[in-house]
């Protein structure tokens, strides 16, 4: 055993001497990871303590899994967790395919000018601040001056208070998120499509395939590995929902469908100063996310041979 | 009726014309090879036949039907590409069946066609494999299988062997030739490799700068090149071309080899070209390396000429002799003697006058009646 360890360090030393320039290049990234990602993990112990800012992390007593028990007994946390999963799940079903469809549509556009124009149009919302997007959405859906309600009333329909009715929150949230991000997210798929050899399409054209057949039989299967990778990443983020955007759009009237773990953590931790409970909620989220991404990766590797690791 | 007919076919990209008025008739069952250097327009011409490039001018007919405006799928052609164009997510059987599937053929018809093609191409053991698990040669056979099952009127090959190593290329060349003999389907094959062209073609079309330089059987082109380009393109090593000026000697036109710092040698010229030459005309005298002799007796038909040997390249049974005549380089391909070193001592080469080709230096055209 000792020989193996000595051998390992000897090899490492040789590697360091030989490729020191490469290790030097790696150093800033390594430091960044250590300082900003691993060092803060020290704070995770708060989740297992009865934390008081006055006593500090070290001075606060250990309480084991007490904070987690409190959380799981808290109906508001359970509701927030289920809302998170529901909003993310609906996003996965409705928002995830949109960039793929967009990318395929851009690819099918024959006119270079038309393609550039439409790409610019759908990319633009991504660069708008989430605060402005929320403002636009609030204005659009305003019951008195909003375009949507004006159209509804001109059609003789009742005005809808979209942002105060819990049943509309998820639709508004996911719909406006699609508008904001789908175009930009399509870049990844467009890049994957650009990597497909044009001769595959030429060969298919000679063989008699229609554009529809080429899309189903060439484009989609060829970008499938990219779709799977993006899906795994998305599944890993299932328990994370855009915190700022929710905060900007929700209100107590819509908590029933809008309150998610991150807003719960914000209210409990920062506004309610229950740091230990908020940390436990965050850690709980992270563990679930890790389990999800791990499982998705494993399933993907078995089913399609594509995986993140 | 020709299987494929190109009449004054032109291809333009904006103002740039890349294929200039190509005329070609490919007969039923014929194997025609378009050969030429990179960028000569051979692939573009083939792609116009396939329908993958729009035709800017002229007409293309397949089986007597004008196809200028016909989609590739309706031209009844099958094409094999340089990079195989295999679908990476499909296995060999599915790749071969692709063309039939998209045409919604019945399953039993597809299965039978795939089995038959796989048997012809020795692919039966690999039907379940993905392209990534195949060698280059196997991939190329799958690409050919995909073309075969369609049973098209015309096969189009776009440099199908360029991605293979030399050994595999020779092997696949023979397979393509056997396949053509067996199926008898009209084939148009594009390559920049003159050996492929010589070995495969019934007729070769030599292209250069978007123009057809000469069309003919391999031996016709080899023995009677219409111009200096064809002469230098076909043959390995290529034909030696010596810059010279026509001088009159004993009432006969001769070629005085241009010599900068050396004594100018004077060569007799073949009778066939003599009548068409005038004094002081600038010419290129062509001589195939395999026609240059060493150690032969001089006679009325064989002229001996002083040469210095720069380098000897033994190739096994043959050797390449890099020499200089009047300062211009000339390569000779001769039988390798037991002692290769003796070749370095050679001071004279024998040139059979009847084997010489004469080209006008300005136009490059043959002046010995091979047009």
């Amino acid at each position: 055993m000792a020989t193996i360890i000595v051998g390992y360090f000897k090899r490492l030393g040789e590697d360091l001497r030989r490729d020191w320039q490469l290790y030097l290049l790696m150093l800033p990234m390594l430091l960044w990871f250590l300082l900003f990602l691993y060092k803060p993990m020290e704070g995770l112990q708060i989740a297992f303590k009865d934390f008081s800012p006055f006593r500090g992390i070290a001075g606060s007593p250990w309480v084991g899994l007490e904070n987690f028990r409190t959380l799981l007994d808290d109906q508001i946390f359970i509701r927030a967790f289920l809302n998170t999963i529901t909003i993310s799940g609906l996003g996965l079903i409705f928002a995830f395919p949109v960039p793929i469809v967009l990318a395929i549509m851009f690819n099918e556009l024959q006119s270079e000018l038309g393609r550039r124009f439409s790409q610019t149009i759908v990319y633009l919302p991504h660069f708008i601040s989430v605060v402005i997007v929320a403002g636009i959405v609030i204005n659009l859906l305003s019951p008195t001056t909003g375009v949507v309600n004006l159209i509804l009333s001109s059609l003789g329909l009742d005005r809808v208070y979209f942002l105060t009715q819990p049943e509309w929150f998820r639709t508004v949230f996911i719909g406006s998120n699609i508008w904001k991000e789908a175009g930009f997210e399509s870049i990844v798929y467009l890049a994957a499509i650009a990597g497909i050899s044009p001769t595959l399409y030429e060969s298919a054209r000679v063989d008699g395939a229609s554009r529809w057949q080429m899309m189903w039989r060439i484009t989609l299967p060829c970008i499938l590995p990219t779709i799977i990778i993006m899906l795994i990443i998305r599944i890993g983020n299932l328990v994370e929902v855009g915190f700022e955007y929710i905060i900007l759009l929700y209100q107590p009237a819509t908590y029933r469908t809008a309150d998610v773990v991150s807003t719960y953590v914000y209210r409990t931790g920062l506004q309610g100063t229950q740091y230990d409970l908020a940390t436990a909620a965050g850690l709980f989220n992270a563990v679930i996310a890790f389990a999800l991404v791990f499982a998705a990766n494993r399933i993907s590797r078995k089913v399609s041979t594509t995986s993140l690791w | 009726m020709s299987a494929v007919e190109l009449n004054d076919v032109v291809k333009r990209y904006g103002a740039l014309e890349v294929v200039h008025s190509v005329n070609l008739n490919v007969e039923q069952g014929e194997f025609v090879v378009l050969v030429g250097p990179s960028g000569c327009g051979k692939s573009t011409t083939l792609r116009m036949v396939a329908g993958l490039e729009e035709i800017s001018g002229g007409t293309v007919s397949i089986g007597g039907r004008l196809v200028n405006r016909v989609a590739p799928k309706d031209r009844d052609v099958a094409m094999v590409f340089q990079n195989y164009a295999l679908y990476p997510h499909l296995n060999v059987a599915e790749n071969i069946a692709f063309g039939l599937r998209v045409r919604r053929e019945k399953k039993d018809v597809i299965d039978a066609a795939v089995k038959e093609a796989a048997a012809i191409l020795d692919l039966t053991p690999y039907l379940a494999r993905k392209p990534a698990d195949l060698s280059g040669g196997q991939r190329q056979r799958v690409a050919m299988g995909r073309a075969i099952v369609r049973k098209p009127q015309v096969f189009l090959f776009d440099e199908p062997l360029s991605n293979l190593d030399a050994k595999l290329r020779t092997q696949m060349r023979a397979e393509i030739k056997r396949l053509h003999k067996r199926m008898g389907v009209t084939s148009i094959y594009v390559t920049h490799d003159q050996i492929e062209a010589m070995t495969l073609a019934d007729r070769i079309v030599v292209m250069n700068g978007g123009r057809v330089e000469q069309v003919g059987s391999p031996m016709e082109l080899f023995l009677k090149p219409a111009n200096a380009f064809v002469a230098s393109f076909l043959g390995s090593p290529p034909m030696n071309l010596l810059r010279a000026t026509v001088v009159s000697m004993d009432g006969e036109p001769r070629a005085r080899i241009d010599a900068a710092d050396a004594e100018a040698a004077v060569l007799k010229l073949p009778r066939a070209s003599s009548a068409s030459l005038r004094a002081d005309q600038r010419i290129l005298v062509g001589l195939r390396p395999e026609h240059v002799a060493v150690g032969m007796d001089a006679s009325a038909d064989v002229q001996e000429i002083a040469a210095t040997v720069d380098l000897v390249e033994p190739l096994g049974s043959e050797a390449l002799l890099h020499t200089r005549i009047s300062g211009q380089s000339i390569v000779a391909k001769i039988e390798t003697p037991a002692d290769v070193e003796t070749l370095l001592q050679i001071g004279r080469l024998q040139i059979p006058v009847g084997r010489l080709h004469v080209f006008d230096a300005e136009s490059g055209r043959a002046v010995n009646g091979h047009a």
Side-chain angles (χ1 to χ4, degrees):
Chain A
M1 186 68 188
T3 342
I4 294 171
I5 294 168
V6 170
Y8 173 77
F9 279 106
K10 206 174 159 191
R11 270 201 309 279
L12 185 67
E14 282 167 9
D15 282 354
L16 280 170
R17 260 196 303 280
R18 192 184 56 233
D19 299 323
W20 65 270
Q21 296 98 330
L22 295 177
Y23 286 100
L24 193 68
L25 285 172
M26 198 175 79
L27 194 64
M29 200 61 202
L30 204 65
L31 285 174
W32 183 83
F33 259 89
L34 288 173
L35 285 175
F36 296 106
L37 294 176
Y38 282 88
K39 176 77 173 60
M41 279 192 201
E42 197 187 323
L44 285 178
Q45 47 183 309
I46 295 174
F48 305 94
K49 292 198 166 195
D50 179 13
F51 179 72
S52 157
F54 304 106
R55 286 182 297 214
I57 296 177
S60 301
W62 292 98
V63 291
L65 297 172
E66 189 52 41
N67 288 324
F68 293 92
R69 266 192 288 273
T70 312
L71 273 182
L72 294 174
D73 287 339
D74 183 356
Q75 287 310 306
I76 294 175
F77 173 76
I78 298 294
R79 185 186 68 188
F81 184 73
L82 291 176
N83 276 342
T84 310
I85 297 288
T86 310
I87 291 175
S88 292
L90 289 172
L92 195 67
I93 295 165
F94 294 105
F96 183 75
V98 178
I100 302 168
V101 175
L102 269 179
I104 290 171
M105 281 165 62
F106 289 142
N107 187 52
E108 293 298 316
L109 279 177
Q110 299 294 308
S111 151
E112 185 62 28
L113 191 72
R115 186 190 303 187
R116 279 190 195 168
F117 180 73
S118 47
Q119 277 178 309
T120 311
I121 294 288
V122 298
Y123 291 168
L124 270 180
H126 170 79
F127 299 100
I128 302 173
S129 152
V130 74
V131 180
I132 297 170
V133 172
I136 293 172
V137 169
I138 290 166
N139 275 313
L140 277 175
L141 301 176
S142 158
T144 48
T145 55
V147 176
V148 179
N149 271 312
L150 286 175
I151 294 171
L152 286 177
S153 64
S154 70
L155 292 172
L157 299 167
D158 290 337
R159 286 171 186 265
V160 181
Y161 290 73
F162 290 101
L163 293 173
T164 55
Q165 293 181 2
E167 57 271 25
W168 277 106
F169 183 84
R170 288 166 186 163
T171 312
V172 171
F173 180 81
I174 293 166
S176 53
N177 247 331
I178 291 174
W179 172 76
K180 187 175 185 311
E181 298 298 339
F184 198 73
E185 284 172 11
S186 72
I187 291 175
V188 175
Y189 301 107
L190 267 174
I193 291 172
I196 302 171
S197 166
T199 51
L200 293 187
Y201 294 104
E202 289 181 343
S203 170
R205 274 175 71 196
V206 176
D207 278 347
S210 62
R211 290 210 77 87
W212 184 252
Q213 285 173 320
M214 282 191 252
M215 194 186 83
W216 280 104
R217 291 171 183 267
I218 300 174
T219 311
L220 268 176
C222 285
I223 64 167
L224 195 61
T226 309
I227 294 175
I228 289 170
I229 295 289
M230 296 305 284
L231 185 67
I232 296 170
I233 294 171
R234 185 100 186 200
I235 288 171
N237 291 336
L238 257 184
V239 287
E240 277 177 27
V241 176
F243 160 75
E244 306 98 320
Y245 195 38
I246 296 255
I247 287 275
L248 289 162
L249 281 185
Y250 86 157
Q251 45 189 297
T254 53
Y255 276 6
R256 185 159 62 83
T257 53
D259 192 22
V260 293
V261 174
S262 51
T263 49
Y264 174 87
V265 168
Y266 169 71
R267 282 201 317 273
T268 319
L270 289 179
Q271 293 183 328
T273 63
Q274 287 181 282
Y275 301 112
D276 42 13
L277 218 53
T279 311
L283 184 59
F284 180 79
N285 235 15
V287 171
I288 301 277
F290 180 73
L292 281 172
V293 82
F294 190 80
N297 193 60
R298 224 182 158 130
I299 294 168
S300 165
R301 196 164 38 187
K302 279 206 170 158
V303 175
S304 71
T305 68
T306 303
S307 59
L308 269 180
W309 69 85
Chain B
M1 183 179 65
S2 300
V4 180
E5 203 176 326
L6 280 76
N7 285 316
D8 292 322
V9 170
V10 172
K11 178 67 192 174
R12 281 184 218 99
Y13 294 106
L16 180 71
E17 191 170 299
V18 292
V19 173
H20 318 283
S21 204
V22 167
N23 288 290
L24 179 68
N25 286 337
V26 182
E27 298 303 327
Q28 198 70 46
E30 199 179 14
F31 199 116
V32 168
V33 175
L34 306 184
V35 68
S38 295
C40 71
K42 54 191 188 300
S43 281
T44 309
T45 306
L46 188 83
R47 289 167 63 83
M48 283 193 278
V49 176
L52 296 172
E53 293 282 352
E54 224 170 89
I55 300 159
S56 310
T59 59
V60 173
S61 304
I62 297 174
R65 182 171 66 121
L66 186 70
V67 294
N68 281 39
R69 298 253 156 228
V70 176
K73 67 186 172 77
D74 300 321
R75 293 192 180 200
D76 202 9
V77 298
M79 190 157 169
V80 178
F81 293 83
Q82 180 179 351
N83 65 356
Y84 322 125
L86 299 182
Y87 307 112
H89 53 283
L90 303 181
N91 64 26
V92 170
E94 289 164 337
N95 262 292
I96 295 175
F98 187 87
L100 300 177
R101 273 220 178 116
V102 295
R103 283 166 194 266
R104 303 190 196 290
E105 290 286 352
K106 283 184 183 153
K107 197 179 174 301
D108 51 339
V109 174
I110 296 174
D111 289 345
V114 170
K115 264 187 195 167
E116 191 191 346
I120 292 171
L121 296 161
D122 288 333
L123 285 170
T124 310
Y126 310 107
L127 284 174
R129 286 202 196 169
K130 292 271 173 74
D133 303 323
L134 301 175
S135 68
Q138 288 164 341
R139 284 181 208 181
Q140 195 48 267
R141 288 213 294 270
V142 178
M144 286 198 285
R146 203 166 56 189
I148 289 174
V149 290
R150 294 259 322 278
K151 295 194 166 60
Q153 262 194 73
V154 184
F155 278 140
L156 305 173
F157 296 90
D158 190 4
E159 307 215 29
L161 308 183
S162 299
N163 288 2
L164 305 179
D165 62 45
K167 194 178 165 194
L168 210 51
R169 210 178 302 158
T170 314
Q171 202 181 314
M172 286 303 295
R173 215 163 58 203
E175 282 198 35
I176 290 175
K177 191 151 192 170
R178 266 197 293 273
L179 198 68
H180 178 253
K181 267 193 181 164
R182 179 175 176 159
M183 304 190 72
V185 177
T186 310
S187 302
I188 306 178
Y189 186 106
V190 161
T191 180
H192 61 266
D193 182 344
Q194 49 101 11
I195 297 176
E196 261 172 48
M198 294 292 284
T199 50
L200 285 171
D202 292 327
R203 273 194 308 150
I204 294 177
V205 179
V206 181
M207 290 186 73
N208 184 31
R211 288 193 171 78
V212 172
E213 297 282 353
Q214 192 176 2
V215 182
S217 71
M219 285 319 289
E220 200 179 322
L221 264 59
F222 185 76
L223 297 172
K224 296 176 180 175
N227 54 47
F229 176 80
V230 176
S232 61
F233 194 78
L234 296 177
S236 177
M239 181 186 279
N240 297 295
L241 291 171
L242 300 167
R243 293 178 306 279
T245 307
V246 177
V247 291
S248 183
M249 221 176 256
D250 306 328
E252 293 271 324
R254 303 276 165 96
R256 192 180 62 223
I257 307 299
D258 292 359
D261 305 317
E263 192 187 331
V266 175
L267 285 175
K268 290 179 191 169
L269 291 171
R271 279 201 189 89
S273 58
S274 299
S276 321
L277 294 168
R278 58 175 199 281
D280 297 329
Q281 185 178 351
R282 302 282 299 136
I283 57 168
L284 295 169
V285 179
L287 180 61
R288 295 241 173 247
E290 45 276 17
H291 294 154
V292 182
V294 169
M296 191 193 272
D297 290 332
S299 68
D301 296 328
V302 177
Q303 186 175 355
E304 196 164 64
I305 199 159
T308 51
V309 179
D310 285 342
L311 177 74
V312 177
E313 286 183 301
L315 305 174
S317 60
E318 288 169 325
L320 295 182
L321 215 57
H322 293 262
T323 69
R324 287 193 167 271
I325 292 177
S326 302
Q328 292 192 47
S329 74
I330 183 165
V331 178
K333 195 176 192 178
I334 56 164
E335 209 174 295
T336 312
D339 185 2
V340 178
E341 291 301 310
T342 57
L343 291 175
L344 288 167
Q345 314 306 322
I346 287 171
R348 304 188 81 74
L349 298 176
Q350 286 81 43
I351 294 169
V353 177
R355 299 284 201 177
L356 288 176
H357 298 257
V358 182
F359 305 98
D360 179 70
E362 254 177 59
S363 66
R365 282 203 200 103
V367 284
N368 43 358
H370 299 330

